[in-house]
């Protein structure tokens, strides 16, 4: 039963249309653990649940393609085996509290502890907050709108709280009607709020910008082996086909669409050619590329080393500047060796078969402008690939003045799996939290436009050689989540600590009484 429940929890994540399962998938686990609170099998059952949970939702991380580098398969398998341990702490704390507190208090503690741990799992170099429970509700368009108040964490809190309430109803039969009424009330309030927000945000007099998304569908395993002229020619051709119908204000290319250092002297000729194309078309170019920069060498004082960043930069007509954002949240063990900024000697431990390993970490969210002459048409928050799974990081762009977001990625490593669509749905949550339109471009997709209500308004066919034109609106108001940040998980952390201390002190008093007797 525990394994089946874990699978149900995992299958509740998009793109499976089973988000409703998330409201009850943890109930069997809670009921079984209630029987094994003092049993050695507790941890084995807990691990089994989360092993199945991760596997059902994230099996695709191993890539499963004919050309997959063995390292990627090994890293994916390691994540599958190790990630359950990062998901288990809330239930460990629940076990400790349940031994000394009532069912009601313990289950309330579990909801807070889960949300707190989910957020804490997003904070370090080892973070992987991909499986926040709130994402299971991305297609429940009404209730998911509460994310503009407390982020995906608030949606997660609602989902796990309903699981806890359902378990309580089963364990405490005499309280069923009262608990059921509370569940209905919570869901009703969320749906009323969400419906109101959706309706309120439909009409907008905000400025409009026309955008072209270029999806060249280039094999990711061969793009690092050369042929840069052909790759750029393909991108330009696709954008020119859009401009022939109606000129675009900006053309968006995917992550590392240009896998070379556009701002380095070595490739000045390449940047010059692109700048001439931009000047001729009158369309700004926002593209992913590899940026090279000299920096002090931490291992050899007095010397410099070459830092290489996964970057997003913009080239504007008539300008020689190239404002750039350096990717600041890197995929652990895929792009970056965790904690290597603190221990530089381990940086070179990560080198695998294609040119996307061993990046340096950027300094944070950098807003870049779309400019015409002296006028700024838009201030863009360029989000590169996995950066999009960090709510607070994306919200930083809006705090720094971004009026539209651009997510660029290369999910082609996972073509034919759930991965690209799941990643796209995560971007939809970022649109709701920040109340910003998103233009999202992937090498092979999913490329599309997302409104600030989280709805996908237009998409290019995945794994297709194509380009898509559309419009985004430029907004300047801030949501509650952007204004106050991660207040929901902070509250949960404080309540979890408080409940833990209270339980510990109670247990200590009990031991003192026993000793005295």
């Amino acid at each position: 039963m525990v394994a089946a429940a874990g699978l149900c929890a995992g299958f509740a994540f998009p793109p499976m249309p089973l988000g409703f399962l998330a409201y009850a998938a943890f109930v069997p686990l809670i009921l079984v653990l209630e029987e094994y609170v003092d049993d050695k099998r507790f941890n084995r059952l807990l691990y089994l649940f989360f092993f199945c949970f991760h596997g059902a939702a994230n099996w695709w991380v191993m890539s499963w393609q004919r050309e997959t580098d063995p390292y990627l398969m090994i890293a994916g398998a390691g994540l599958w085996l190790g990630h359950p341990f990062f998901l288990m702490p809330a239930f460990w704390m629940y076990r400790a509290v349940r031994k000394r507190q009532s069912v009601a208090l313990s289950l309330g503690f579990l909801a807070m502890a889960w949300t707190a741990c989910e957020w804490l799992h997003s904070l370090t170099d080892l973070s992987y907050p991909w499986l926040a429970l709130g994402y299971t509700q991305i297609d429940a368009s009404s209730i998911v709108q509460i994310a503009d108040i407390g982020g995906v964490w608030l949606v997660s809190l609602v989902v796990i709280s309903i699981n806890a309430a359902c378990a309580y109803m089963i364990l405490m039969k005499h309280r069923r009607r009262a608990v059921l009424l509370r569940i209905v009330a919570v869901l009703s309030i969320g749906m009323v709020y969400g419906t109101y927000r959706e309706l309120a945000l439909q009409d907008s007099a905000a400025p409009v910008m026309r955008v072209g998304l270029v999806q060249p569908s280039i094999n990711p395993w061969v793009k690092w082996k050369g042929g840069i002229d052909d790759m750029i020619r393909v991108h330009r051709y696709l954008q020119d086909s859009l401009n022939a119908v109606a000129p675009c204000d900006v053309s968006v290319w995917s992550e590392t669409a240009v896998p070379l250092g556009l701002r380095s002297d070595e490739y000045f000729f390449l940047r010059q050619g692109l700048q001439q194309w931009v000047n001729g078309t009158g369309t700004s170019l926002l593209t992913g590329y590899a940026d090279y920069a000299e920096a002090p060498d931490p291992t050899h004082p007095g010397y410099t080393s070459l830092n290489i960043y996964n970057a997003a930069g913009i080239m504007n007509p008539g300008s020689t500047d190239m404002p750039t954002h350096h990717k600041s949240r890197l995929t652990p063990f895929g792009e970056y060796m965790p904690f290597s900024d603190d221990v530089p000697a381990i940086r070179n431990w990560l080198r695998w078969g294609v040119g996307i390993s061993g990046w340096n970490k950027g300094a944070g969210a950098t807003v870049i402008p779309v400019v015409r002459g002296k006028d700024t048409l838009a201030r863009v928050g360029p989000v590169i690939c996995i950066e999009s799974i960090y709510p607070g990081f994306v919200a930083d762009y809006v705090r720094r003045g971004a009026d539209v977001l651009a997510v660029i990625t290369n999910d082609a490593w996972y073509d034919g799996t759930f991965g690209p669509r799941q990643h796209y749905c995560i971007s939809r949550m970022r649109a709701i939290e920040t109340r910003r339109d998103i233009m999202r471009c992937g090498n092979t997709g999913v490329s599309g436009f997302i409104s600030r209500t989280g709805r996908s308004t237009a998409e290019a066919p995945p794994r297709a050689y194509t380009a898509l034109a559309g419009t985004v609106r430029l907004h300047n108001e801030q949501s509650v989540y952007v204004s106050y940040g991660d207040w929901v998980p902070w509250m949960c952390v404080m309540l979890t600590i408080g409940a833990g201390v209270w339980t510990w002190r109670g247990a200590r008093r009990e031991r003192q009484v026993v000793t005295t007797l």
Side-chain angles (χ1 to χ4, degrees), residues 337-368:
M337 183 61 68
F339 310 111
S340 61
D341 283 351
D342 301 314
V343 188
I346 69 176
R347 179 171 297 158
N348 291 327
W349 291 5
L350 179 64
R351 286 288 185 271
W352 57 288
V354 293
I356 65 167
S357 58
W359 296 108
N360 292 91
K361 187 190 295 185
T366 304
V367 178
I368 59 178

Side-chain angles (χ1 to χ4, degrees), residues 37 62 96 100-101 110 136 173 181 200 216 236 243 272 339 348 352 356 370 387 392 400 412 429 443 479 486 491 504:
V37 167
M62 295 174 67
R100 296 170 178 85
Q101 301 294 344
L110 174 62
T136 62
K173 297 179 182 179
L181 288 174
R236 287 173 51 171
N243 285 344
Q272 186 178 46
F339 310 111
N348 291 327
W352 57 288
I356 65 167
V370 179
E387 288 181 331
R400 298 178 184 186
M429 185 68 76
N443 172 24
S479 66
D486 293 325
M491 176 189 71
W504 173 77

Side-chain angles (χ1 to χ4, degrees), residues 41-107:
R41 285 172 287 182
F42 182 94
N43 283 325
R44 280 180 285 176
L45 291 169
L46 200 56
Y47 182 86
L48 176 62
F49 177 90
F50 285 113
F51 180 83
C52 295
F53 171 66
H54 173 97
N58 264 185
W59 58 270
W60 52 266
V61 174
M62 295 174 67
S63 183
W64 303 104
Q65 297 186 57
R66 180 175 55 84
E67 296 168 293
T68 296
D69 187 285
Y71 177 85
L72 189 55
M73 295 288 288
I74 294 169
L79 178 66
W80 195 339
L81 292 170
H83 194 217
F85 292 107
F86 289 86
L87 301 171
M88 292 164 61
F91 281 86
W92 288 334
M93 290 185 282
Y94 165 74
R95 181 190 193 187
V97 171
R98 181 67 188 94
K99 289 180 178 180
R100 296 170 178 85
Q101 301 294 344
S102 67
V103 173
L105 286 174
S106 299
L107 289 173

Side-chain angles (χ1 to χ4, degrees), residues 313-332:
I314 193 162
M315 303 173 71
N316 290 300
S319 174
T320 57
D321 294 331
M322 191 174 182
T324 291
H325 161 69
H326 292 151
K327 189 175 182 180
S328 303
R329 302 305 298 261
L330 301 172
T331 306

Side-chain angles (χ1 to χ4, degrees), residues 119 122-123 129 135 150-153 329 364-365 383 387-400 405 429-430 433-434 481-487 489:
W119 174 67
S122 74
L123 299 183
Y135 293 126
V152 68
W153 319 117
R329 302 305 298 261
V383 183
E387 288 181 331
S388 65
I389 74 172
Y390 296 95
F393 178 84
V394 176
D396 277 344
Y397 281 111
V398 179
R399 298 184 189 110
R400 298 178 184 186
L405 300 173
M429 185 68 76
R430 300 291 87 83
E433 291 167 342
T434 60
Y481 176 69
V482 170
S483 298
Y484 295 97
D486 293 325
W487 67 272

Side-chain angles (χ1 to χ4, degrees), residues 433-508:
E433 291 167 342
T434 60
R435 293 305 182 191
R436 289 295 184 271
D437 285 6
I438 293 179
M439 41 192 183
R440 189 182 192 275
C441 182
N443 172 24
T444 58
V446 177
S447 301
F449 294 94
I450 303 169
S451 76
R452 58 180 176 159
T453 63
R455 293 187 181 274
S456 184
T457 58
E459 294 181 21
R463 306 172 72 181
Y465 167 77
T466 188
L468 177 69
T471 59
V472 292
R473 290 192 176 273
L474 311 175
H475 302 284
N476 54 28
E477 70 274 12
Q478 289 196 3
S479 66
V480 174
Y481 176 69
V482 170
S483 298
Y484 295 97
D486 293 325
W487 67 272
V488 168
W490 267 115
M491 176 189 71
C492 291
V493 168
M494 294 298 103
L495 290 173
T496 300
I497 293 173
V501 170
W502 180 42
T503 299
W504 173 77
R505 291 185 65 181
R508 186 181 181 188

Side-chain angles (χ1 to χ4, degrees), residues 209-333:
M209 183 170 68
R210 181 173 168 82
V211 178
L213 305 178
V214 176
Q215 182 180 292
S217 199
I218 296 172
N219 187 323
W221 309 103
V222 301
K223 71 176 291 183
W224 295 91
K225 297 179 180 179
I228 184 64
D229 291 336
D230 289 336
M231 285 188 282
I232 290 179
R233 190 178 303 112
V234 164
H235 283 80
R236 287 173 51 171
Y237 172 80
L238 289 170
Q239 182 58 48
D240 287 341
S241 68
L242 296 180
N243 285 344
V245 177
C248 294
D249 295 308
V250 61
S251 176
V252 181
W253 297 3
S254 63
E255 178 187 18
T256 60
V258 182
L260 299 172
L262 279 177
R263 294 202 299 178
S264 66
D265 293 339
E266 182 181 0
Y267 298 107
F268 172 77
F269 71 94
L270 190 62
R271 178 180 169 188
Q272 186 178 46
L274 282 171
Q275 185 65 59
Q276 290 174 352
W277 175 72
V278 167
N279 293 342
T281 60
T283 298
S284 296
L285 170 60
L286 192 165
T287 184
Y289 73 104
D291 196 29
Y292 308 156
E294 295 283 345
D297 189 336
T299 59
H300 299 86
Y303 292 86
T304 61
S305 60
L306 184 65
N307 287 351
I308 305 178
Y309 298 95
N310 190 340
I314 193 162
M315 303 173 71
N316 290 300
S319 174
T320 57
D321 294 331
M322 191 174 182
T324 291
H325 161 69
H326 292 151
K327 189 175 182 180
S328 303
R329 302 305 298 261
L330 301 172
T331 306
F333 303 108

